[in-house]
Amino acid sequence: MVDDIVFWGLAVVSVASGVAVFRVDSMARATYALAVSFVTVGLVLLLFGLDYLGIVVVLMMVMEMAIMAIYMIMFMGMNPALMPMSMVHGKRTAVTVAGLTFAVLAAGILLVDWPERRGAPAADLTLSLGHAVMGSKMLVMITVSAVLFATIVSALVLALPRGRYDTDGADDGDRASGEAPS
Amino acid sequence: MTGALTQVPAGWVPLAAVLLLALAALGATVDGALAARAQGRHWGSGLGLPMAETARLLRQRRRRTVAADRPLWLIGTGGLLVVALLMVVVVPLGRWTLSDLPVGVVWFNAMDVVVWALVWLAGWGPNSAHSLVGGYRFLAQALAYELPLMFAITAPAVAAGSLAVGDVVAAQEGLWFAVWMPVAFLVFCGAVLAFSVRAPFSAPAGADLAGGVLADSSGIDRWLLLAGRWALMAAGSAFAVAVFLGGGHGPLLPAWLWSLVKTGALLAVLVWVRRRLPTVRPDRLLPFGWVVVLPLVLLQLLVVAVVVVVGGS
């Protein structure tokens, strides 16, 4: 009963803030409306007993949206994102694609022959989900994530040997007179 | 749910909030005393500073700015205190805890990430260049401190073999984690200063920006921001006590009192430290965070993992 109320409450907030993403007229509001939508989805995962995944979704999404807001505002060059602006473009295509996707997914939910539950849920759902998804490839997956991360960092380092702000301290004197406060 | 802790009903949340505010007030009072001494006055004359400031701000009129994003501004302003309270939900007070989540450590981490959003929103809200630059600075710094913070709190979780804060406290029965993982402890203390926007991480609210994210706040809004920062510092100290300083473990005194005493002491030390350190430019903090602190804390994690594997077999 309580679970149902919580689920429907979160679902309504999630969909409503998802709609808000396209209805508001500011990049900041759109970004954080999306963040709210993701956070409620993360909280719904808690209802499945997936504590770790649910909270990690909240963590990652808030972090991602906080950074995304900066990029959205920074790169919206022609239409300065500090001013009110529309959050939609290519309306007809977008509406068609979104409508079709929704129809396919909804039809999938209704038409798929869902299996009956066999046995009881595992004691540690996160662990068993990990085994189910990755199985014997666990070691590979763990290694790959570190390798991918190292690749991203080293690619950045190679692309930006000195970075936007030169930090070897050699030209501090020039900079103090120019831009950065010391 | 772990056996060592008693989970108290939700009715105790107000008491937790009062304790958190009391600790935040303690931090602000210590800061006032240190400020008075730094100005050459007797330290006692600074004790009333937080109360006087509260009285002043509560009577002050709200300043409004042109084309402010009012809803987002309010969320950023009021959210800091809420997040601090959500942080202490998983921090045990002696044997009692509001919620012994099986993933309490991750919960704390998620809440400190919410601070990213809130500080930026507080900077975005007033439609003012100074405060927006302050918000940007905070996110730049966040990239420097967040990964070290994550790996720092991973170390005690690895040592305890659990993400539940109760298990982490129980695992420190004989030896505090701060003793044999000092790097992780120090990095976490630095991160507490960072997410409460204190020196050396105080550039987002720096004087060079006329107060940065605080620049256009006034009255109760300003009080909420300032109190939120103190509450975050108190909540961070409380969590550090639970995962690094043995929580309620200690001789003679009851466990809940040990939790409070240790939290107050760590908070006072952090306040002292933040007054001794200069504000560091965010673009200086980033390379330091990634090139020096991150490898150090990863090495710390490696040492902890090796100790756990060798000791466990």
Side-chain angles (χ1 to χ4, degrees):
Chain A
M1 179 61 189
V2 176
D3 277 3
D4 287 347
I5 295 172
V6 173
F7 171 78
W8 283 106
L10 290 173
V12 167
V13 174
S14 171
V15 173
S17 51
V19 171
V21 172
F22 301 97
R23 309 288 298 181
V24 295
D25 63 354
S26 121
M27 276 293 173
R29 287 188 186 185
T31 311
Y32 280 99
L34 191 54
V36 170
S37 190
F38 280 134
V39 166
T40 46
V41 171
L43 295 178
V44 167
L45 283 179
L46 297 183
L47 293 178
F48 288 101
L50 294 169
D51 297 329
Y52 180 77
L53 286 184
I55 293 174
V56 161
V57 166
V58 173
L59 189 159
M60 295 310 292
M61 286 306 152
V62 172
M63 193 183 257
E64 199 171 319
M65 290 303 130
I67 297 297
M68 197 177 85
I70 289 188
Y71 282 87
M72 300 270 276
I73 288 165
M74 188 162 59
F75 289 133
M76 210 51 64
M78 282 171 62
N79 187 349
L82 296 171
M83 308 295 284
M85 61 184 286
S86 164
M87 290 295 124
V88 288
H89 56 85
K91 271 190 205 169
R92 194 168 302 163
T93 329
V95 166
T96 319
V97 171
L100 277 176
T101 314
F102 180 79
V104 168
L105 291 178
I109 292 173
L110 295 175
L111 297 180
V112 163
D113 187 17
W114 295 105
E116 289 291 310
R117 160 169 283 174
R118 285 165 297 165
D124 189 339
L125 286 175
T126 307
L127 185 72
S128 46
L129 184 66
H131 277 298
V133 173
M134 295 187 267
S136 58
K137 310 289 186 298
M138 191 75 81
L139 187 62
V140 180
M141 300 300 265
I142 290 171
T143 319
V144 161
S145 67
V147 171
L148 272 179
F149 184 64
T151 312
I152 295 172
V153 173
S154 36
L156 270 176
V157 170
L158 288 175
L160 282 161
R162 294 173 77 88
R164 180 172 173 193
Y165 298 101
D166 186 17
T167 47
D168 64 1
D171 65 347
D172 255 15
D174 300 343
R175 212 138 42 94
S177 61
E179 37 163 306
S182 51
Chain B
M1 304 303 117
T2 46
L5 292 177
T6 317
Q7 203 159 309
V8 296
W12 290 93
V13 168
L15 180 68
V18 168
L19 278 178
L20 179 67
L21 274 181
L23 281 168
L26 173 75
T29 306
V30 172
D31 191 61
L34 289 173
R37 216 185 56 173
Q39 287 168 1
R41 292 182 285 130
H42 187 254
W43 60 268
S45 65
L47 290 180
L49 193 70
M51 289 306 140
E53 185 70 358
T54 300
R56 184 181 76 82
L57 288 176
L58 288 183
R59 285 169 53 233
Q60 193 181 51
R61 217 186 210 184
R62 246 185 189 159
R63 189 189 305 148
R64 293 180 188 280
T65 53
V66 178
D69 195 334
R70 199 76 194 137
L72 292 189
W73 195 3
L74 284 178
I75 291 171
T77 305
L80 293 181
L81 264 181
V82 177
V83 164
L85 184 57
L86 286 173
M87 280 176 173
V88 293
V89 161
V90 294
V91 177
L93 175 69
R95 286 187 302 105
W96 307 295
T97 183
L98 284 171
S99 166
D100 193 18
L101 274 182
V103 290
V105 174
V106 189
W107 171 264
F108 179 87
N109 198 189
M111 289 308 111
D112 90 63
V113 168
V114 175
V115 177
W116 291 33
L118 295 176
V119 173
W120 188 81
L121 287 174
W124 164 266
N127 189 29
S128 134
H130 285 114
S131 64
L132 185 57
V133 172
Y136 281 154
R137 282 187 180 178
F138 186 79
L139 283 182
Q141 282 183 182
L143 295 177
Y145 78 75
E146 191 63 42
L147 277 177
L149 185 164
M150 284 180 176
F151 288 115
I153 58 177
T154 307
V158 166
S162 164
L163 287 170
V165 181
D167 292 342
V168 177
V169 174
Q172 299 174 74
E173 180 91 53
L175 185 62
W176 295 357
F177 283 160
V179 176
W180 67 280
M181 39 184 96
V183 178
F185 174 61
L186 289 179
V187 168
F188 182 78
C189 288
V192 172
L193 289 172
F195 67 63
S196 48
V197 204
R198 297 297 179 186
F201 300 91
S202 55
D208 58 328
L209 277 180
V213 289
L214 297 170
D216 279 288
S217 64
S218 52
I220 183 68
D221 294 333
R222 192 178 183 83
W223 186 86
L224 283 170
L225 281 173
L226 296 176
R229 280 167 88 191
W230 286 116
L232 282 172
M233 209 163 165
S237 307
F239 188 77
V241 165
V243 298
F244 286 110
L245 296 179
H249 293 307
L252 298 177
L253 299 179
W256 62 268
L257 196 54
W258 267 120
S259 291
L260 283 180
V261 167
K262 287 179 191 172
T263 305
L266 180 60
L267 182 61
V269 170
L270 288 179
V271 171
W272 181 78
V273 165
R274 81 113 184 158
R275 295 202 72 91
R276 306 300 298 178
L277 292 177
T279 298
V280 181
R281 264 180 10 215
D283 61 301
R284 287 282 172 89
L285 284 171
L286 265 170
F288 179 71
W290 280 79
V291 179
V292 181
V293 180
L294 190 57
L296 274 180
V297 76
L298 280 173
L299 278 177
Q300 171 78 88
L301 193 54
L302 179 69
V303 170
V304 171
V306 168
V307 167
V308 168
V309 170
V310 172
S313 62

